[in-house]
Amino acid sequence: MRKLIVVVGSINLDLVGNAERVPLPGETLTGRSFSTFPGGKGANQAVGVARLGYPVSMVGKVGDDSFGSALRGALRKAGVNVKAVGTVRGSSGVALINIGDDGQNNIVVVPGANEKLLPKDITRASAVLRTAEMFLTQLEIPLITMETLAVFAHKNKIPLMLDPAPARELPKGLLQCATWITPNESETRILCGLSANEPVTPATAARCAELLLERGPKNVLIKMGSQGVFLATGGGTREMIPAFAVKAVDSTAAGDAFNAGFAVSLLSGAAPVQAARYASAVAAISVTRVGAQPSMPTAREVERFLNSQ
Ligand code: RIB
């Protein structure tokens, strides 16, 4: 039986400034430290899967700058197959990230090479794509490429987990091809037309999950940070799975850690509720560590964490 997750998505270098808190609009703060980490929602999810010991290939693009070779090297070192990671002229994707002492962040992504991942690259990678058990994808690559992947997934009956981040209006066809959609709170607000500061409570999440299910995705997971995750499946499960209480130092890539953990656990035979609990543990560990890819735990670390709860 085939055993492979394929991630189609972004690869970024994260430029991270730490300060007392995330700055307000128009405000300048003096930071405490600066670091760079390999990141990008796609690459983070691929590394998350690899650290958990599951076979994974990445389809993406880096630039021909010095960041590009470092980013490809980080993926390879983590155990991700990078044969379908191409190099294009110009700069690699970068993310400018501010992190406050409470672990909260805000991010500006400049796509660079990620913008050059085109439908023809999906066609080119079709041999590896056809061998996948599941696709993980996000919205940091062109929408037309996502749509091409979604059609491929539908035609080949391969489940597609869509992380709608960063949030934007999504075409109906894409939503209808998603087996799982996994918005966080702010993405849920945008997708479901809530106001920018409306709190996403479990009741709100339950309402939004129904709305999303009506639009086509077969299953919904709403990631609600320290509140937990709301699961709604096409099979009728409706459950709020609480988050593990940990001291967060950096929430960057917590959502990516969750998606990686959920996919691995589900494909290893867990039911969705158990997979969501496992994924919550993966995300909880990731927020106790700095950096995007460096924060992804191994399967043994997750097992120890779960045993300690
Ligand atoms: O999800 C976190 C990621 O978002 C960061 O690593 C950054 O690169 C942006 O893509």
Side-chain angles (χ1 to χ4, degrees):
M1 198 190 129
R2 65 187 177 186
K3 193 177 175 196
L4 178 72
I5 289 174
V6 178
V7 180
V8 180
S10 59
I11 306 169
N12 296 331
L13 185 79
D14 291 353
L15 309 172
V16 182
N18 289 81
E20 180 192 343
R21 57 185 169 74
V22 169
L24 300 168
E27 185 183 29
T28 303
L29 290 178
T30 301
R32 300 192 206 286
S33 61
F34 170 75
S35 329
T36 61
F37 297 105
K41 293 182 197 306
N44 296 343
Q45 294 185 14
V47 168
V49 169
R51 288 260 167 76
L52 294 171
Y54 210 88
V56 56
S57 284
M58 173 96 206
V59 179
K61 286 276 162 78
V62 293
D64 62 358
D65 52 5
S66 60
F67 296 166
S69 46
L71 291 168
R72 185 198 299 273
L75 284 166
R76 195 183 289 122
K77 195 167 165 215
V80 177
N81 184 320
V82 293
K83 274 193 200 135
V85 174
T87 302
V88 292
R89 275 198 148 177
S91 52
S92 298
V94 292
L96 314 173
I97 305 183
N98 295 307
I99 301 179
D101 282 348
D102 59 359
Q104 294 304 309
N105 64 29
N106 63 25
I107 304 181
V108 172
V109 174
V110 185
N114 297 303
E115 285 268 275
K116 297 182 183 159
L117 186 68
L118 300 174
K120 65 176 187 230
D121 297 306
I122 300 298
T123 313
R124 242 178 238 148
S126 60
V128 64
L129 292 173
R130 240 179 243 117
T131 63
E133 272 178 291
M134 183 181 268
F135 297 135
L136 304 190
T137 192
Q138 318 76 27
L139 297 178
E140 288 183 335
I141 56 173
L143 194 56
I144 182 78
T145 310
M146 302 279 315
E147 291 182 282
T148 309
L149 176 71
V151 170
F152 185 97
H154 185 71
K155 270 197 191 143
N156 290 280
K157 298 191 172 44
I158 299 171
L160 174 79
M161 188 186 292
L162 169 62
D163 196 8
R168 54 177 297 171
E169 286 284 314
L170 291 174
K172 213 170 159 191
L174 178 56
L175 287 170
Q176 286 173 342
C177 290
T179 314
W180 291 92
I181 190 163
T182 63
N184 68 10
E185 290 164 275
S186 66
E187 291 143 13
T188 300
R189 282 191 200 98
I190 292 171
L191 289 173
C192 299
L194 308 182
S195 65
N197 40 19
E198 181 169 347
V200 180
T201 62
T204 318
R207 193 160 42 82
C208 290
E210 298 306 330
L211 210 81
L212 289 169
L213 284 173
E214 273 167 29
R215 289 193 208 154
K218 294 186 186 49
N219 306 283
V220 176
L221 277 160
I222 299 185
K223 299 180 279 191
M224 298 159 65
S226 58
Q227 293 187 86
V229 55
F230 187 83
L231 168 71
T233 69
T237 303
R238 301 287 182 272
E239 195 160 331
M240 181 76 206
I241 293 117
F244 294 98
V246 289
K247 177 156 174 26
V249 296
D250 179 0
S251 62
T252 312
D256 300 327
F258 182 94
N259 283 36
F262 186 77
V264 168
S265 182
L266 198 69
L267 294 176
S268 305
V273 173
Q274 276 71 44
R277 186 167 185 272
Y278 183 88
S280 299
V282 177
I285 298 170
S286 80
V287 304
T288 64
R289 300 171 174 176
V290 296
Q293 291 172 28
S295 71
M296 300 293 161
T298 63
R300 181 169 292 189
E301 287 169 334
V302 181
E303 197 181 303
R304 258 193 245 127
F305 178 87
L306 283 168
N307 288 337
S308 73
Q309 296 300 307

Short mmCIF file of all heavy atoms in Angstrom, two decimals, residues 10-14 37-42 44 94-95 97 105 107 109 140 251-256 292-293, ligand 1:
data_model
loop_
_atom_site.label_atom_id
_atom_site.label_comp_id
_atom_site.label_asym_id
_atom_site.label_seq_id
_atom_site.Cartn_x
_atom_site.Cartn_y
_atom_site.Cartn_z
N SER A 10 4.33 26.73 -0.01
CA SER A 10 5.36 27.77 0.07
C SER A 10 6.58 27.35 0.88
O SER A 10 6.50 26.51 1.77
CB SER A 10 4.75 29.00 0.73
OG SER A 10 4.30 28.65 2.02
N ILE A 11 7.69 28.01 0.53
CA ILE A 11 8.95 27.82 1.24
C ILE A 11 9.49 29.23 1.49
O ILE A 11 9.74 29.97 0.54
CB ILE A 11 9.95 27.01 0.37
CG1 ILE A 11 9.30 25.69 -0.11
CG2 ILE A 11 11.24 26.74 1.13
CD1 ILE A 11 10.10 24.96 -1.18
N ASN A 12 9.65 29.63 2.75
CA ASN A 12 10.10 30.99 3.06
C ASN A 12 11.27 31.00 4.02
O ASN A 12 11.44 30.06 4.81
CB ASN A 12 8.99 31.79 3.78
CG ASN A 12 7.75 31.99 2.93
OD1 ASN A 12 7.84 32.05 1.71
ND2 ASN A 12 6.61 32.10 3.58
N LEU A 13 12.00 32.11 3.98
CA LEU A 13 12.94 32.36 5.08
C LEU A 13 12.23 33.32 6.03
O LEU A 13 11.72 34.36 5.60
CB LEU A 13 14.24 32.99 4.57
CG LEU A 13 15.25 33.12 5.71
CD1 LEU A 13 15.92 31.77 5.99
CD2 LEU A 13 16.31 34.16 5.42
N ASP A 14 12.15 32.96 7.31
CA ASP A 14 11.48 33.81 8.30
C ASP A 14 12.51 34.75 8.95
O ASP A 14 13.52 34.30 9.48
CB ASP A 14 10.83 32.94 9.38
CG ASP A 14 9.64 32.15 8.85
OD1 ASP A 14 9.25 32.37 7.68
OD2 ASP A 14 9.12 31.32 9.62
N PHE A 37 14.91 31.84 10.52
CA PHE A 37 14.56 30.41 10.59
C PHE A 37 13.98 29.99 9.23
O PHE A 37 13.30 30.78 8.58
CB PHE A 37 13.45 30.16 11.63
CG PHE A 37 13.84 30.51 13.04
CD1 PHE A 37 13.35 31.66 13.63
CD2 PHE A 37 14.68 29.68 13.77
CE1 PHE A 37 13.69 31.99 14.93
CE2 PHE A 37 15.02 30.00 15.07
CZ PHE A 37 14.53 31.16 15.65
N PRO A 38 14.17 28.72 8.86
CA PRO A 38 13.44 28.24 7.68
C PRO A 38 11.96 28.14 8.01
O PRO A 38 11.59 27.66 9.10
CB PRO A 38 14.06 26.85 7.42
CG PRO A 38 14.73 26.45 8.69
CD PRO A 38 15.06 27.71 9.44
N GLY A 39 11.13 28.62 7.09
CA GLY A 39 9.68 28.62 7.34
C GLY A 39 8.91 28.48 6.05
O GLY A 39 9.38 27.87 5.09
N GLY A 40 7.72 29.08 6.04
CA GLY A 40 6.80 28.91 4.90
C GLY A 40 5.80 27.85 5.29
O GLY A 40 6.18 26.77 5.74
N LYS A 41 4.51 28.17 5.11
CA LYS A 41 3.49 27.23 5.60
C LYS A 41 3.63 25.83 5.00
O LYS A 41 3.48 24.82 5.69
CB LYS A 41 2.09 27.79 5.34
CG LYS A 41 1.82 29.05 6.16
CD LYS A 41 0.44 29.60 5.96
CE LYS A 41 0.34 31.04 6.44
NZ LYS A 41 0.77 31.27 7.81
N GLY A 42 3.93 25.78 3.69
CA GLY A 42 4.09 24.47 3.05
C GLY A 42 5.28 23.72 3.62
O GLY A 42 5.17 22.56 4.05
N ASN A 44 6.89 24.18 6.37
CA ASN A 44 6.71 23.84 7.79
C ASN A 44 5.88 22.55 7.94
O ASN A 44 6.20 21.68 8.76
CB ASN A 44 5.97 24.96 8.54
CG ASN A 44 6.75 26.26 8.58
OD1 ASN A 44 7.95 26.26 8.34
ND2 ASN A 44 6.07 27.36 8.88
N VAL A 94 10.07 35.34 1.55
CA VAL A 94 10.49 35.72 2.91
C VAL A 94 9.26 36.10 3.73
O VAL A 94 8.24 36.53 3.18
CB VAL A 94 11.50 36.91 2.94
CG1 VAL A 94 12.83 36.53 2.35
CG2 VAL A 94 10.93 38.13 2.27
N ALA A 95 9.37 35.93 5.03
CA ALA A 95 8.29 36.34 5.94
C ALA A 95 8.89 37.22 7.02
O ALA A 95 9.92 36.87 7.62
CB ALA A 95 7.64 35.10 6.56
N ILE A 97 8.39 38.64 10.55
CA ILE A 97 7.56 38.19 11.68
C ILE A 97 7.92 38.97 12.94
O ILE A 97 9.09 39.07 13.31
CB ILE A 97 7.77 36.67 11.93
CG1 ILE A 97 7.50 35.88 10.64
CG2 ILE A 97 6.89 36.18 13.07
CD1 ILE A 97 7.60 34.37 10.77
N ASN A 105 2.04 36.60 17.43
CA ASN A 105 2.85 37.15 16.35
C ASN A 105 1.99 37.87 15.32
O ASN A 105 0.76 37.77 15.35
CB ASN A 105 3.65 36.04 15.66
CG ASN A 105 2.75 35.01 14.97
OD1 ASN A 105 1.66 35.33 14.52
ND2 ASN A 105 3.22 33.78 14.89
N ILE A 107 2.53 38.58 10.86
CA ILE A 107 3.44 38.16 9.78
C ILE A 107 3.10 38.88 8.48
O ILE A 107 1.92 39.01 8.14
CB ILE A 107 3.28 36.62 9.53
CG1 ILE A 107 3.52 35.82 10.82
CG2 ILE A 107 4.23 36.15 8.42
CD1 ILE A 107 3.41 34.30 10.65
N VAL A 109 4.14 38.28 4.56
CA VAL A 109 4.86 37.37 3.66
C VAL A 109 5.07 38.04 2.31
O VAL A 109 4.13 38.61 1.75
CB VAL A 109 4.05 36.06 3.46
CG1 VAL A 109 4.71 35.17 2.42
CG2 VAL A 109 3.93 35.30 4.77
N GLU A 140 -0.32 30.18 0.09
CA GLU A 140 0.83 31.06 -0.16
C GLU A 140 1.44 30.82 -1.56
O GLU A 140 2.56 31.22 -1.81
CB GLU A 140 1.90 30.88 0.92
CG GLU A 140 1.47 31.48 2.26
CD GLU A 140 2.53 31.40 3.34
OE1 GLU A 140 3.40 30.52 3.27
OE2 GLU A 140 2.47 32.22 4.27
N SER A 251 4.24 31.31 18.80
CA SER A 251 3.13 30.56 18.19
C SER A 251 3.30 30.39 16.66
O SER A 251 2.45 29.79 16.01
CB SER A 251 1.79 31.25 18.48
OG SER A 251 1.81 32.54 17.91
N THR A 252 4.42 30.89 16.11
CA THR A 252 4.63 30.75 14.66
C THR A 252 4.61 29.27 14.27
O THR A 252 5.29 28.46 14.90
CB THR A 252 6.01 31.34 14.25
OG1 THR A 252 6.15 32.61 14.83
CG2 THR A 252 6.14 31.42 12.73
N ALA A 253 3.82 28.96 13.28
CA ALA A 253 3.75 27.60 12.70
C ALA A 253 3.01 26.60 13.58
O ALA A 253 3.03 25.40 13.31
CB ALA A 253 5.15 27.05 12.37
N ALA A 254 2.31 27.07 14.61
CA ALA A 254 1.52 26.14 15.44
C ALA A 254 0.43 25.49 14.57
O ALA A 254 0.17 24.28 14.67
CB ALA A 254 0.88 26.88 16.61
N GLY A 255 -0.17 26.29 13.70
CA GLY A 255 -1.20 25.76 12.81
C GLY A 255 -0.61 24.74 11.84
O GLY A 255 -1.24 23.73 11.50
N ASP A 256 0.61 24.99 11.39
CA ASP A 256 1.28 24.05 10.47
C ASP A 256 1.58 22.74 11.20
O ASP A 256 1.42 21.65 10.65
CB ASP A 256 2.57 24.66 9.93
CG ASP A 256 2.33 25.95 9.18
OD1 ASP A 256 1.26 26.07 8.55
OD2 ASP A 256 3.19 26.85 9.23
N ALA A 292 9.96 28.39 13.22
CA ALA A 292 8.90 27.63 12.56
C ALA A 292 9.34 26.17 12.45
O ALA A 292 8.94 25.32 13.25
CB ALA A 292 8.60 28.25 11.20
N GLN A 293 10.19 25.86 11.48
CA GLN A 293 10.58 24.45 11.30
C GLN A 293 11.31 23.86 12.50
O GLN A 293 11.07 22.70 12.86
CB GLN A 293 11.40 24.30 10.01
CG GLN A 293 10.52 24.52 8.78
CD GLN A 293 11.30 24.57 7.49
OE1 GLN A 293 12.36 23.99 7.34
NE2 GLN A 293 10.74 25.28 6.52
O1 RIB B 1 2.58 29.52 9.42
C1 RIB B 1 3.79 30.16 9.74
C2 RIB B 1 4.51 30.57 8.51
O2 RIB B 1 3.79 31.60 7.86
C3 RIB B 1 5.89 31.16 8.73
O3 RIB B 1 6.90 30.21 8.79
C4 RIB B 1 6.02 32.15 7.59
O4 RIB B 1 7.00 31.80 6.65
C5 RIB B 1 4.63 32.26 6.97
O5 RIB B 1 4.57 31.59 5.79
#
